[in-house]
Amino acid sequence: MGPVELLHMSVFSQSFSPCGRFLAAGNNYGEIALFSLSAALSPDATRLSQKPVLTFTAHEGPVFSLLSTDCRLLSAGNGEVSAWSWSELIKKNVKPLWTKRPNYKSSLEIPEINSMIINPRDNSLVVGGGDNNIHILDLEHGVFKSVLQGHSDYVHCVSVREREAEILSGGEDGAVRIWDSRTGQTVHCIEVYKYEECARPQFGKWISCLTTDSDWMLCGGGPSLSLWHLRSLSPTSTFPLSGCQRQAAFYQDMILAVGEGQSVSHCLLGGEVKAQIPCSSQSLNTLQLNTNSTEHRVLTVGGSSDHIDVFTNLSYRAFSLSF
C-alpha cells in the first residue's frame, strides 16, 4: 500500500482473538490486519513488533464491523458477512469458512453492514446496516432466519439484552428500537432527539453508538451521549462531550467513549467527564477492551489514521500499532 492510501486510511473495527493474544483490525480499504499483542507487549518489542503479522483483503468495501466467537472471527463488508477460523489466521491461512449475504429486496443495491453482535440466547448473529433492517443469522444452520423491520433509515448500531430476550438498534432516523428477539416485534421506540436534555439539533438526530449493561443503556450520536434506565425508559445522565460519539463502553464504574476529536473520554455514571486522554488520530471510530487475557489486558483505540493506540494503563497511551 502506497503513502497516499496510508494517509487516507481509517480503522473502523477491532476484535481480540479468543485467547486474547491477537488483535484483528478492519480498515476502509476492506483489509483486516492481525497484530500479535504478545509480541508488541513483550519487553523485547521492536518497531517490527508493532506491525501486523498478517494483512489480507477480506471485503470490497470498508470493514465496519468485526467480532469474535470462541473460535471464529466474523467480518462485515459491503452487504456480506464472512467467517474466518482464528487458528487458521494465526497460521496465516486466509480462506473464509463461509460468506453469507442477507436477503435484500433488490439484487442491485449492496447496503453496507454497520454493526453486528452475537445473541447468545439462540446462538444467532444480529446484523444491522444500510437497508434500514436488522437481519438475524442462525449461526448453527448458516441461514438468515428473520428480518426486523421498523427503522426508516440506516441502522448504525445493535446491542443485545440476553436476560430480557431483547435486541436494541439505533439508526439514522434518530430512534432506538427495542425488539423482542422471540417475536421480532418492536416493544419500545425511544426517539432520543425529542428529549430536551439530549437534543443537539445542530448535529442531527442520528444514533451512532449504543451499548447496554443489564438495565442500563448508553446511546449517542447527533444527540448527546446519555445514560438511560431501561425499566423506566428515561435518561438519567447526559455527558457534555463535544461532537458525535461513535463508540462507548461500560468499564467498572466508568464509561469510556470515543468519537469526533482525538481523546478517549472517561466519564462517571452521574454525567461528569473525569478525564480526556489524547490519542494519535484526529477523530476516533472504535475502542475495544481486551478481557480475554489477563496477561494482555489493554484498551485499543482506532480512528482516522493507520494507527491503533494501545493503552496498558487507561490514563496514558503506551504505544501504537500500525498497518
Side-chain angles (χ1 to χ4, degrees):
M1 182 167 293
V4 175
E5 285 87 355
L6 279 176
L7 188 65
H8 293 286
M9 188 181 289
S10 284
V11 176
F12 284 122
S13 52
Q14 306 177 85
S15 184
F16 293 102
S17 62
C19 64
R21 294 202 313 270
F22 293 88
L23 171 69
N27 70 17
N28 53 323
Y29 299 119
E31 293 178 327
I32 295 174
L34 225 62
F35 297 92
S36 166
L37 290 174
S38 34
L41 291 165
S42 127
D44 313 319
T46 62
R47 294 284 304 175
L48 201 59
S49 318
Q50 295 166 4
K51 287 295 203 185
V53 291
L54 171 68
T55 307
F56 62 99
T57 301
H59 299 282
E60 275 184 17
V63 183
F64 284 124
S65 189
L66 282 173
L67 64 84
S68 292
T69 66
D70 34 7
C71 58
R72 291 175 181 178
L73 174 69
L74 302 177
S75 64
N78 272 4
E80 63 184 22
V81 178
S82 294
W84 317 80
S85 156
W86 265 113
S87 57
E88 290 302 309
L89 288 178
I90 290 163
K91 292 183 211 154
K92 305 191 179 177
N93 295 340
V94 292
K95 196 163 176 266
L97 298 167
W98 49 256
T99 296
K100 310 267 179 209
R101 180 166 283 217
N103 308 314
Y104 296 122
K105 287 195 190 86
S106 148
S107 56
L108 297 173
E109 60 164 350
I110 304 178
E112 78 276 11
I113 291 169
N114 295 320
S115 180
M116 306 186 288
I117 195 166
I118 300 273
N119 187 354
R121 197 180 178 93
D122 59 357
N123 191 29
S124 64
L125 181 68
V126 178
V127 174
D131 68 337
N132 314 350
N133 297 328
I134 292 132
H135 298 266
I136 311 293
L137 173 63
D138 179 335
L139 286 171
E140 201 172 324
H141 300 101
V143 291
F144 279 95
K145 60 179 184 177
S146 58
V147 183
L148 311 185
Q149 295 178 309
H151 282 283
S152 59
D153 211 331
Y154 281 23
V155 176
H156 284 294
C157 40
V158 290
S159 187
V160 163
R161 288 177 83 203
E162 189 186 348
R163 204 178 66 219
E164 277 72 22
E166 287 175 352
I167 292 167
L168 287 85
S169 57
E172 187 77 16
D173 56 7
V176 170
R177 285 185 173 268
I178 303 177
W179 313 78
D180 183 326
S181 66
R182 295 158 298 197
T183 63
Q185 299 300 309
T186 299
V187 188
H188 301 290
C189 177
I190 304 169
E191 292 177 300
V192 180
Y193 64 97
K194 290 187 175 173
Y195 288 75
E196 197 180 335
E197 58 269 55
C198 307
R200 294 190 302 184
Q202 70 275 28
F203 291 118
K205 60 183 185 179
W206 59 300
I207 299 295
S208 52
C209 68
L210 171 66
T211 188
T212 52
D213 185 356
S214 67
D215 287 337
W216 298 93
M217 170 182 80
L218 267 176
C219 66
S224 296
L225 185 69
S226 50
L227 179 66
W228 293 66
H229 187 245
L230 287 172
R231 287 185 189 272
S232 60
L233 295 178
S234 57
T236 61
S237 312
T238 53
F239 302 94
L241 300 171
S242 60
C244 301
Q245 301 308 299
R246 298 200 184 103
Q247 198 168 0
F250 289 98
Y251 178 69
Q252 293 172 353
D253 54 353
M254 268 195 323
I255 283 159
L256 303 175
V258 295
E260 288 170 3
Q262 60 183 117
S263 302
V264 179
S265 301
H266 295 188
C267 304
L268 301 178
L269 298 173
E272 186 192 337
V273 180
K274 186 180 165 190
Q276 293 196 296
I277 314 300
C279 294
S280 57
S281 300
Q282 291 299 308
S283 176
L284 305 171
N285 299 321
T286 166
L287 69 86
Q288 205 73 321
L289 283 153
N290 188 4
T291 50
N292 299 349
S293 157
T294 46
E295 199 185 335
H296 308 102
R297 188 159 292 209
V298 291
L299 166 72
T300 54
V301 176
S304 59
S305 77
D306 61 336
H307 284 61
I308 295 157
D309 294 336
V310 180
F311 296 77
T312 47
N313 169 326
L314 286 187
S315 48
Y316 66 92
R317 174 171 67 95
F319 60 89
S320 297
L321 304 167
S322 66
F323 268 80

